[in-house]
């Protein structure tokens, strides 16, 4: 087996190359960090529309108040003030399937629906309706739709779709998720908004992102969000009071075993 | 005890506020992500020089080839392809004292030296020389100086100091660390470069960053670096080959106990 | 919504209760830690056969040489010697779907096959054969079978099945996975061993563990494994040499973008 | 540079060696897991007194109710139900300097005091009193003393010291920390208990543990604690209710910047 390659970066005595670019001459102080993140993940600098949308997506995914991940980061900062990186890592860890997974699941779904349309030549609305009837009417959730707080519209979706449209970057994925949302409403009577995960998935897919890269991209946003919460927590703690009330908020009671001995 | 506050963000049905700003109206697609990161950690948008330097610092700290953290992230991606956030988190975890700690330790040192000068009215070169004689000549390391690869100069330092100077943002910290470097050379004969941690600490201190925020800021850069490595690893794996050779690279031998039974 | 309860533990001035037991009077120095782990996860102390098998499972899953998780833990210890918990955490993070997920996927599969047999009254061999023909003959992997090193037999499986049989604890799951292995061989000609994940899943299911608890249980074993590697790494480092050779093992080359700009 | 070695484990087709022992023949189903953990970290099996104390220490450190780490683990499980290992890892991450660091700091302190006594031949009470006057009377905390809940006595300390004494394993460290506690009371009037970190540090030091291994050992206990909380959370969630109240418990207010622009 020949040596595997990496194309991220390499350093010599007087030069650091990052994704094929001279870090100090061509990136630092020249390319804004949001575009450097795009470069780091994608392997090339973004075009202007890609930059606007890419930066907007990261901005939309970064912060949403005291989420599970933000709180986990703060609690870890309380226990490990000497290891700030542990607290930021804890904040990233909380961004799993419930939050980030919808991003990729939605992207995969949009791709599947679009591919089905291309492959079978059946009209896309028909492909979508078949899927909705099979999945949603059976009680399945739709990744990319619905939000416990933004019940009618997710403001991040409005903004991202507005940007994509202005920049001429709205494509098949944006079209498909909109159709999906409308079809769910027609078939079930439930009017669910396209949430931020769905909107980010759609606009990034329309830029050409492969589905498996979306969670990498989003994790950077979550890290930034967590870093802010950690910075605030070590400056102005919130968790000591929360922890002092925890036995009242979640009282202890003796356990029932999760299963009994067999026989 | 009154309720502790948080000033990161809050969401209502049709509005998301992040650090006092309307996310969708004023940030997404308006403010580049690098400046949004500054806002998230500091609590206000950066001025133009702060933006240039802040983005440059994040860019400099993001990627340095196959580091311990990058490799840890890749290995975790190999074992947890379904949990990309775990792999990015692992990459952030590797950025501890050996890499990020120097950032804060250096900032604390620069602050201590400067404070000693202000408090005692002794000239700064004298304060620095006393510290160097006490610490370095006793074999202690100097946080912010030295690098195993960039033995004479760290190109990131050259670039960051150039930017700070051009923007009129070079201040006491940059001056102090340069003096520190020169004094170490005079006292020990060793010519060590100011490394990226030292340069980032100095330029961020001169912007006004409190030392304890530097690691939060840097952790975002490390997360971006890790996310890139993870994205590449799930696309084009490197770790299977490495793991297939690990018994040859690090062979097993039976252990000697780390301590013997007492008595 | 009434207050949710927790049944893990609570502390007062002179007493600590863990899972309904007085920690200092009834557990510490009385119940071996392996059984305390069972208590912590299950909510009751194990019977004698449960203790033997439970401890054996943890022992089998703890250590398997320089795995991806072990190496990630060591690399993190190198970068964060002040944060040992970060290194142990990194070792746990590497134990994802490729290693731990098979445990749960296998348990779910065994349960599905058994349930199908009970529900339809079709003979179990028939249920299994149908599944194998549909899944494996289409190229799908079977969670719980196969191992890159233990190609014919996994010694951990032999030992665990021997223990379960001796203790009269072998049940439906052990029977089903054996049938599964034999059926795969009959249908495909491939003789795959039942691996440690499959064996642990089977014996724990036969003790009555619900599938979703298996990964919690196994994570403790992985943490112990990682802790050992971290202890050794901080005593006798291996990663500096590995990292000094990394550019030779995984050389850098300029990137090809992961996707091109659309249009 | 010759190849570094590892003494943790290695696997061949039909045999797995862990710390010099045949895993399947000599460990699994033979040696209880608590003793296997000792073997994994120390490199040899424990003697009987070492086993009793080692298992008791792990048991004492495992669970203490809804701590910051337990809550962080639960919150992560809520966001990443598919990645249980991420939740357990988050629980380990929260066990930093505030909880685990005291263990090592205390061990280092006890060693320093004892070494000072041996080196200078000054009586140990004198060494201790000098340190207390210099450190504690200046407002410094003493690692190993004090607890917010167990204000007079920590029941875990009583139990561990009782075990060590019964087994003839009480030694210099136990003696020194007791002297330290008494001296703090004499010098400051404050009666602080020896807490669990101090007690675990003392009894493990008296077994011969080097200070830097204590946190590795304790991290296993924290992982077990976290695994239990995660198992319960995925079975009977507590965090949704907590998160539904978070804006009331920790309300949002617009930020004050953490620092102002310079000049």
């Amino acid at each position: 087996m020949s040596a595997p390659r990496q194309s991220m970066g390499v350093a010599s005595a007087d030069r650091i190359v990052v994704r094929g670019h001279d870090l100090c001459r061509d990136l630092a102080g020249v390319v804004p960090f949001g575009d450097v993140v795009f470069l780091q993940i994608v392997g090339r600098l973004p075009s202007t529309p890609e930059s606007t949308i890419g930066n907007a997506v990261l901005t939309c995914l970064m912060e949403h108040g005291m989420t599970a991940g933000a709180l986990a980061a703060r609690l870890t900062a309380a226990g490990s003030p000497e290891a700030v990186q542990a607290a930021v890592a804890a904040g990233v860890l909380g961004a799993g399937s419930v939050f980030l997974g919808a991003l990729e699941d939605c992207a995969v779904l949009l791709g599947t629906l679009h591919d089905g349309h291309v492959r079978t030549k059946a009209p896309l609305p028909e492909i979508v309706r078949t899927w909705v009837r099979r999945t949603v009417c059976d009680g399945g959730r739709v990744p990319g739709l619905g939000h416990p707080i933004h019940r009618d519209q997710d403001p991040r979706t409005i903004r991202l779709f507005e940007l994509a449209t202005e920049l001429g970057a709205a494509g098949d994925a944006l079209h498909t998720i909109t159709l999906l949302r409308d079809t769910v409403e027609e078939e079930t009577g439930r009017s669910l908004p396209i949430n931020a995960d769905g909107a980010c998935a759609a606009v990034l897919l329309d830029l050409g992102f492969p589905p498996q890269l979306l969670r990498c991209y989003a994790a950077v946003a979550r890290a930034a969000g967590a870093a802010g919460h950690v910075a605030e927590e070590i400056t102005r703690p919130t968790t000591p009071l929360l922890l002092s009330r925890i036995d009242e908020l979640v009282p202890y009671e003796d356990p029932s075993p999760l299963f009994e001995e067999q026989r």
Side-chain angles (χ1 to χ4, degrees), chain A:
Chain A
M1 217 186 310
S2 68
R5 309 277 175 190
Q6 59 96 357
S7 298
M8 304 309 299
V10 67
S12 57
D14 53 11
R15 188 162 181 263
I16 300 166
V17 173
V18 172
R19 295 308 237 142
H21 294 257
D22 184 313
L23 169 66
C24 302
R25 189 192 70 194
D26 300 327
L27 297 179
V30 179
V31 178
F33 180 65
D35 294 347
V36 174
V37 172
F38 186 102
L39 168 70
Q40 177 74 357
I41 290 178
V42 179
R44 60 173 175 82
L45 285 165
S47 65
T48 303
E50 287 175 325
S51 169
T52 303
I53 292 173
N55 278 263
V57 163
L58 291 172
T59 299
C60 283
L61 291 178
M62 182 187 77
E63 171 65 37
H64 201 260
M66 285 290 256
T67 59
L71 199 44
R74 288 178 175 260
L75 288 161
T76 305
S80 287
E82 83 297 350
V84 160
Q85 70 278 13
V88 174
V92 174
L93 287 176
S97 67
V98 176
F99 304 110
L100 275 198
L103 197 66
E104 183 170 324
D105 291 345
C106 183
V108 169
L109 172 60
L110 297 178
T112 301
L113 295 170
H114 181 76
D115 291 350
H117 156 63
V118 165
R119 197 182 65 247
T120 68
K121 318 244 188 283
L124 186 62
E126 198 177 296
I127 300 277
V128 170
R129 193 170 305 277
T130 302
W131 186 89
V132 169
R133 285 183 176 167
R134 196 179 64 232
T135 310
V136 183
C137 300
D138 266 1
R141 290 191 326 130
V142 184
L145 299 189
H147 196 283
I149 299 173
H150 311 296
R151 293 182 170 282
D152 297 322
Q153 295 202 81
D154 189 321
R156 295 162 292 185
T157 301
I158 296 172
R159 179 59 175 147
L160 288 170
F161 283 11
E162 174 181 77
L163 281 168
T165 306
E166 281 172 8
L167 295 163
D172 288 333
L174 198 154
H175 174 68
T176 304
I177 198 174
T178 306
L179 186 59
L180 179 64
R181 199 217 73 77
D182 294 343
T183 307
V184 167
E185 184 166 14
E186 289 163 22
E187 292 292 322
T188 71
R190 296 168 60 206
S191 174
L192 301 172
I194 297 169
N195 59 39
D197 289 331
C200 290
V203 299
L204 290 180
L205 281 180
D206 282 339
L207 287 187
F209 270 76
Q212 69 269 23
L213 293 199
L214 301 191
R215 283 185 296 158
C216 298
Y217 199 67
V220 180
R222 300 293 179 174
H229 279 271
V230 171
E232 183 174 74
E233 186 67 22
I234 62 184
T235 307
R236 189 175 70 165
T238 62
T239 54
L241 190 68
L242 190 67
L243 289 169
S244 73
R245 293 188 58 187
I246 201 68
D247 287 340
E248 153 217 339
L249 293 164
V250 189
Y252 171 82
E253 69 180 14
D254 280 346
S256 301
L258 294 185
F259 67 92
E260 296 297 338
E261 191 186 356
Q262 304 295 297
R263 206 169 331 100

